Amino acid sequence: MAGLSGVAAGLGIGGYLLYSDEPIRQSVVVPQRLRDFRVADDPLHPDLVVVRGRRVDAMVQAAVDKLGGMGRFIRRGDRVLLKPNVGWDRQPEQAANTGPELVEAMVRLCRVAGAKSVWVTDVSLNDPRRCFARSGIEQAAVSAGGEVRLPGQEDFIATDMGGKVLQVWPVARFFHEVDKVINLPIVKHHSLSGCTLAMKNWYGVIGGQRNRLHQAIHASIVDLAAAVRPTLTIMDATRVLKRNGPTGGNPADVVRAETIIAARDEVALDSYCLQFLDLTPEAVPFLALAEQRGLGRVAWRDLHPVDIQLG
Amino acid sequence: MSGLRGVRRVYAVFFVGLFVFFLWSAGFGRLQGYDVELLLQLDPLTALAGVLTSHTLYQGLAFALVILIPTLFLGRFFCSWICPLGILNQAVSHLWHRRRAVEAWEENRYRPLYRLKYYLLVVMLVFAAFGSLQIGLLDPIALIYRSFSLSFLPAVDHVAGGWFYTNAPVFQGGVLIGGILLLILLANRFITRFWCRALCPLGALLGWCSQWSVLRIRRDVDACNQCKQCLKACQGAADPDGAVRVTECHLCMNCIEACGTQALHYGLARERSSIGRPLDINRRRVVESALAAVVAVPVTKSSLSVRTAPAPEVIRPPGSLPEPQFLARCIKCGLCMRICPTNVLQPALLESGFEGLWTPILMNGIGYCEHHCVLCGQVCPTAAIRPVTVAEKVGAPPFTQPIRLGTAFFDRGRCLPWSMDVPCIVCEETCPTSPKAIWYEMVMVKGRDGRQVALKRPFVQPDLCIGCGICENKCPVADLAAIRVTSVGETRSRDNRMLLHQQAVIQDPSRADSVVSG
């Protein structure tokens, strides 16, 4: 009888504890924002440096030195994430992905500056293993002492993007787990937005059904650029995909511009790079939108860019 | 005397390890030239059935002779020494082995039911002789490759992720494929190695071949004290305590180890060796089975399938043979689906007819055919998918045409720019050909509120489309895409065509712009 009373009491208490007005019990997760990865302004150094030359490692070194050296951006012990464009299963000559030489040079500079870890990641459109292998970026990253992080289905965290069209979206968790983020885009033709440059490269941060972003592509690009504020951006304009972007495929669509541009202002950087694609800022609405949001300046000349010519 | 049984166990561990290693290696970045289809090539049954359907012993399938010829002299060593399914059955049977001798004797005695495998073999070979390769349904090597690739490995990855995949794949009807293997393993609970004893057509073939073997298990009738410890340990139901049935014996060597008086040995006959029993099949049943199959073949062929009419959803992997030849070669092993990096290759249910059950088709809702990937053809053991090069697939010199899997068609009623005046053209963005097979026209349209909207409306240029399906896969209309690939225009078929000219109109990429601006 005592046992039966115990069971009855247990049922009563259990029923009280489990009672709910909701059909399913779900844990409530408050989406976090990405942290601001920028470093403090420094009036002694320029915010836009253009380096022309042949050897990518020397060009990257010169550009970073002009901006104040890697020590300005990376502290000893920092966890650094590099975000090249590795969207496609293409080889470097096809210029659909960031060049492996730039990735290798940047991983090395971060290591020399004392970074604890250097991760290289992207949310690729084609199969990520093939993209990283055939673009040469996996080998470049590993040989310079970095690590490739391929996001799997489970590697995304709902993140508050705080944008006009982008609110809560899944973001690759690696972006939440580092101290510094460096953007390594490439100059490419893109059929819908006109061009794929630095701000458009942040498409590779989010997962989910991001193909819907095309329905408001300029607003999406600005929302992404507002949500991810990188420490530094270094543009690969050594090879430029002029047509048939963003996939490319035919080396005849690629011209060699042999330029590396380092910047802290992504709007000015993108605006500067339009010349490689024979575009004007008026043809690219996201630039003006970004300036309205206070992300940077379209008139890149106001930044007094430094031009360096290496042998 | 831990002699031959110990050696057999070393072999068993080695070959199961090899099987798992090959499955693990069958992924992008790990393949590295490993012959991951080796175990399938060693299989004499798929080789024989393939010879019957295609009249060739294709390349690596000649390895099957390495198994077949020794079997004539040594007996069915394959079943307990090499076959991963046999070894797995043996291991599972061991978990459920009977401790009481009378129960074990009852379970391990020979039963007439075990003739069934020979009749199944006859049915399968008659089907093959008439050009229908259904052997893969029951062949143990194809079966275990299929079950592990399409069900067990993805399931393991769900529990302990990251060993085999970045993202665990999903497969149409995978639960059925895995469930069959689970039933086979469960059957060991009731009868030890029920699959091997009663159902396995490869075991039947090897059993038939072993009936003349000179080396076999033999019992010294003088030394034997009739304790029946050998029968208690027997895996094959081969009656080691009486007249040994060589055709049923898997050479597991348990009986030799179990014998207390060392009356059993594996080798040539000795003076006091017992007689053996011949192959136990009823000739009338064999003829009946063959006749039934002869009747069944035209019945299956008379039903609607891709042989008789092209099916839009039957899109075969790049390099696949024309459908009749494809079905004459595909053993449904699932290795192509294991290695496919995008998970687009799926086991067909009845899309291509009953004959095509579990053959690979592309389902672009799940993945797409990666432009520069040819892995499926590289691992196919029977070349139902030919091992094409990347150059042949994409149509790079010296080839003049790419391999087309089908053609993409817009569903303008679902397409955002066409029916809803919403900008999109993700399809054009992802199209991998150069110049792109998808192009667009700039139009200004007036919306419901009177505002002018600038839109890019996409079109397919069918002679440039290779049918890779990435447009369908990436289309934001998620459930039923607004652009879908069907099989028409596929390179492998002469009949499933629509265009008179397959020649690409644009050969010069510098002219692509003028077309795009349309």
Side-chain angles (χ1 to χ4, degrees):
Chain A
M1 197 62 202
L4 209 56
S5 312
V7 170
L11 282 172
I13 294 167
Y16 174 74
L17 292 176
L18 288 170
Y19 183 79
S20 166
D21 290 333
E22 297 293 328
I24 282 180
R25 201 172 290 267
Q26 283 169 324
S27 55
V28 179
V29 180
V30 180
Q32 300 292 306
R33 287 195 176 215
L34 284 170
R35 72 182 73 163
D36 188 341
F37 299 106
R38 288 176 295 178
V39 295
D41 287 338
D42 179 359
L44 294 176
H45 296 289
D47 279 341
L48 187 62
V49 178
V50 181
V51 187
R52 293 168 221 278
R54 289 273 165 195
R55 284 189 40 228
V56 172
D57 54 345
M59 292 155 76
V60 172
Q61 180 79 56
V64 172
D65 285 349
K66 203 70 194 172
L67 285 174
M70 211 57 184
R72 182 182 165 202
F73 301 102
I74 307 294
R75 291 224 193 99
R76 189 157 290 282
D78 269 354
R79 296 163 301 171
V80 181
L81 188 147
L82 305 184
K83 164 63 180 81
N85 187 330
V86 204
W88 307 97
D89 176 17
R90 297 288 197 204
Q91 289 163 321
E93 299 72 35
Q94 295 166 320
N97 302 314
T98 303
E101 305 89 352
L102 172 58
V103 177
E104 184 171 348
M106 280 308 292
V107 172
R108 195 154 278 140
L109 283 179
C110 292
R111 294 301 267 185
V112 170
K116 189 171 78 180
S117 61
V118 182
W119 291 351
V120 180
T121 193
D122 194 8
V123 183
S124 308
L125 242 128
N126 288 154
D127 176 47
R129 289 162 298 173
R130 289 188 67 90
C131 293
F132 273 81
R134 298 210 337 131
S135 64
I137 285 174
E138 180 169 15
Q139 214 215 327
V142 171
S143 70
E147 290 169 63
V148 167
R149 283 277 180 277
L150 298 183
Q153 283 152 349
E154 311 293 316
D155 291 322
F156 288 90
I157 295 175
T159 304
D160 181 8
M161 307 299 280
K164 293 222 165 74
V165 291
L166 296 185
Q167 282 88 36
V168 176
W169 275 80
V171 165
R173 64 179 171 86
F174 313 124
F175 289 88
H176 286 281
E177 297 170 356
V178 292
D179 305 305
K180 300 285 163 58
V181 168
I182 297 176
N183 191 9
L184 301 178
I186 183 171
V187 180
K188 279 200 292 180
H189 167 251
H190 188 279
S191 41
L192 191 59
S193 59
C195 51
T196 291
L197 298 167
M199 287 193 276
K200 172 84 170 63
N201 198 29
W202 296 123
Y203 265 64
V205 166
I206 57 175
Q209 221 196 339
R210 68 179 185 197
N211 47 13
R212 285 187 292 150
L213 268 53
H214 276 214
Q215 293 157 35
I217 194 162
H218 297 289
S220 308
I221 291 173
V222 175
D223 277 358
L224 283 166
V228 194
R229 306 305 304 269
T231 314
L232 176 65
T233 302
I234 301 191
M235 177 72 77
D236 180 3
T238 55
R239 297 185 185 92
V240 173
L241 180 63
K242 301 273 274 188
R243 286 176 296 273
N244 216 47
T247 52
N250 191 338
D253 295 334
V254 177
V255 296
R256 300 208 68 130
E258 308 294 4
T259 309
I260 292 281
I261 309 112
R264 294 183 60 238
D265 179 334
E266 288 187 311
V267 183
L269 174 63
D270 282 3
S271 176
Y272 177 87
C273 289
L274 295 181
Q275 58 188 277
F276 297 111
L277 296 166
D278 313 315
L279 290 168
T280 58
E282 293 72 44
V284 185
F286 68 77
L287 285 176
L289 287 173
E291 188 172 69
Q292 283 167 25
R293 289 276 279 277
L295 300 180
R297 275 184 282 183
V298 179
W300 53 269
R301 285 192 178 81
D302 295 354
L303 269 66
H304 307 294
V306 177
D307 229 307
I308 301 174
Q309 179 74 47
L310 295 183
Chain B
M1 205 171 104
S2 67
L4 283 171
R5 186 175 65 176
V7 179
R8 188 257 299 166
R9 284 180 175 165
V10 171
Y11 269 77
V13 168
F14 172 77
F15 276 102
V16 167
L18 199 65
F19 169 68
V20 173
F21 174 74
F22 281 154
L23 276 181
W24 181 81
S25 311
F28 177 76
R30 303 207 196 99
L31 192 60
Q32 301 184 359
Y34 290 120
D35 191 10
V36 295
E37 63 275 29
L38 179 69
L39 290 174
L40 287 154
Q41 293 170 331
L42 282 174
D43 180 342
L45 184 55
T46 50
L48 172 62
V51 166
L52 289 174
T53 56
S54 61
H55 312 121
T56 61
L57 185 59
Y58 175 74
Q59 291 189 359
L61 296 180
F63 279 126
L65 295 174
V66 175
I67 300 298
L68 200 61
I69 293 170
T71 300
L72 293 171
F73 302 96
L74 305 177
R76 273 172 78 176
F77 64 93
F78 183 83
C79 301
S80 274
W81 294 56
I82 296 175
C83 177
L85 184 55
I87 295 164
L88 198 60
N89 273 327
Q90 177 147 8
V92 173
S93 297
H94 186 72
L95 297 177
W96 277 315
H97 81 280
R98 317 275 180 198
R99 287 190 175 74
R100 288 186 59 206
V102 278
E103 286 179 9
W105 293 335
E106 172 63 19
E107 193 197 346
N108 286 340
R109 71 181 163 74
Y110 180 78
R111 297 162 204 235
L113 174 67
Y114 299 160
R115 297 173 188 151
L116 180 59
K117 60 180 175 290
Y118 296 100
Y119 307 141
L120 285 173
L121 173 69
V122 168
V123 169
M124 289 293 166
L125 291 182
V126 170
F127 263 76
F130 284 94
S132 182
L133 191 67
Q134 293 306 316
I135 196 68
L137 294 175
L138 292 179
D139 179 85
I141 310 297
L143 189 149
I144 195 166
Y145 262 91
R146 180 173 65 234
S147 316
F148 270 69
S149 296
L150 307 189
S151 180
F152 276 32
L153 292 184
V156 168
D157 206 77
H158 276 294
V159 181
W163 281 47
F164 277 78
Y165 312 101
T166 311
N167 288 323
V170 289
F171 292 102
Q172 169 175 252
V175 63
L176 176 65
I177 291 165
I180 288 171
L181 181 58
L182 281 180
L183 284 179
I184 289 171
L185 296 180
L186 184 65
N188 293 306
R189 161 72 181 78
F190 305 98
I191 293 181
T192 296
R193 293 188 76 164
F194 177 75
W195 165 267
C196 308
R197 290 178 182 180
L199 296 174
C200 180
L202 175 58
L205 176 68
L206 295 174
W208 184 79
C209 289
S210 69
Q211 56 185 309
W212 305 282
S213 64
V214 283
L215 300 184
R216 55 177 73 180
I217 300 283
R218 305 192 190 255
R219 185 172 57 92
D220 185 321
V221 291
D222 287 344
C224 176
N225 63 1
Q226 297 292 329
C227 72
K228 290 196 183 178
Q229 283 298 310
C230 51
L231 181 62
K232 187 175 176 230
C234 182
Q235 291 281 319
D239 291 345
D241 58 321
V244 182
R245 296 175 185 271
V246 66
T247 58
E248 305 304 309
C249 174
H250 304 157
L251 298 182
C252 73
M253 307 295 177
N254 283 357
C255 54
I256 298 179
E257 304 291 323
C259 183
T261 60
Q262 294 175 12
L264 289 158
H265 83 284
Y266 173 69
L268 298 169
R270 292 177 187 159
E271 200 177 330
R272 299 293 297 159
S273 289
S274 70
I275 54 158
R277 225 187 280 264
L279 179 63
D280 175 36
I281 48 174
N282 182 320
R283 268 190 215 155
R284 186 169 290 184
R285 295 289 105 72
V286 170
V287 173
E288 285 167 2
S289 307
L291 273 176
V294 167
V295 174
V297 171
V299 170
T300 63
K301 289 206 174 176
S302 67
S303 69
L304 184 65
S305 74
V306 181
R307 279 183 209 273
T308 47
E313 70 274 34
V314 179
I315 304 165
R316 296 291 189 193
S320 292
L321 301 175
E323 189 68 13
Q325 287 90 317
F326 182 85
L327 291 177
R329 295 229 55 108
C330 177
I331 57 169
K332 313 161 195 273
C333 67
L335 206 49
C336 53
M337 304 173 222
R338 161 71 188 102
I339 203 159
C340 177
T342 71
N343 198 197
V344 68
L345 287 185
Q346 293 286 322
L349 292 174
L350 300 179
E351 290 90 344
S352 57
F354 281 90
E355 288 175 86
L357 180 69
W358 297 333
T359 55
I361 56 173
L362 278 80
M363 296 178 74
N364 295 320
I366 300 171
Y368 60 92
C369 187
E370 193 75 79
H371 194 214
H372 287 96
C373 176
V374 290
L375 290 173
C376 49
Q378 301 295 317
V379 299
C380 179
T382 64
I385 311 169
R386 283 187 302 117
V388 295
T389 61
V390 174
E392 182 175 356
K393 186 183 174 196
V394 305
F399 300 93
T400 55
Q401 291 284 320
I403 292 177
R404 295 183 171 85
L405 310 180
T407 309
F409 293 84
F410 277 105
D411 184 342
R412 289 190 184 175
R414 298 176 69 84
C415 178
L416 300 179
W418 276 109
S419 70
M420 295 161 227
D421 298 344
V422 173
C424 182
I425 65 159
V426 174
C427 48
E428 192 266 4
E429 176 187 2
T430 56
C431 180
T433 63
S434 180
K436 289 172 184 287
I438 299 176
W439 59 283
Y440 56 79
E441 192 177 41
M442 286 289 293
V443 291
M444 294 298 288
V445 295
K446 204 158 82 173
R448 186 178 181 179
D449 54 3
R451 276 191 307 133
Q452 290 282 323
V453 190
L455 275 180
K456 291 168 176 168
R457 281 185 169 159
F459 298 83
V460 175
Q461 186 171 333
D463 52 354
L464 287 177
C465 180
I466 54 174
C468 72
I470 193 171
C471 50
E472 180 177 344
N473 183 252
K474 304 292 183 189
C475 177
V477 187
D479 59 341
L480 177 65
I483 181 166
R484 298 190 294 277
V485 175
T486 69
S487 64
V488 71
E490 56 182 343
T491 299
R492 69 189 187 113
S493 167
R494 257 188 232 148
D495 309 318
N496 192 14
R497 292 288 166 90
M498 61 178 179
L499 295 181
L500 184 59
H501 294 291
Q502 208 42 276
Q503 199 73 22
V505 174
I506 305 171
Q507 294 289 7
D508 176 8
S510 64
R511 283 177 53 209
D513 274 354
S514 60
V515 172
V516 168
S517 58

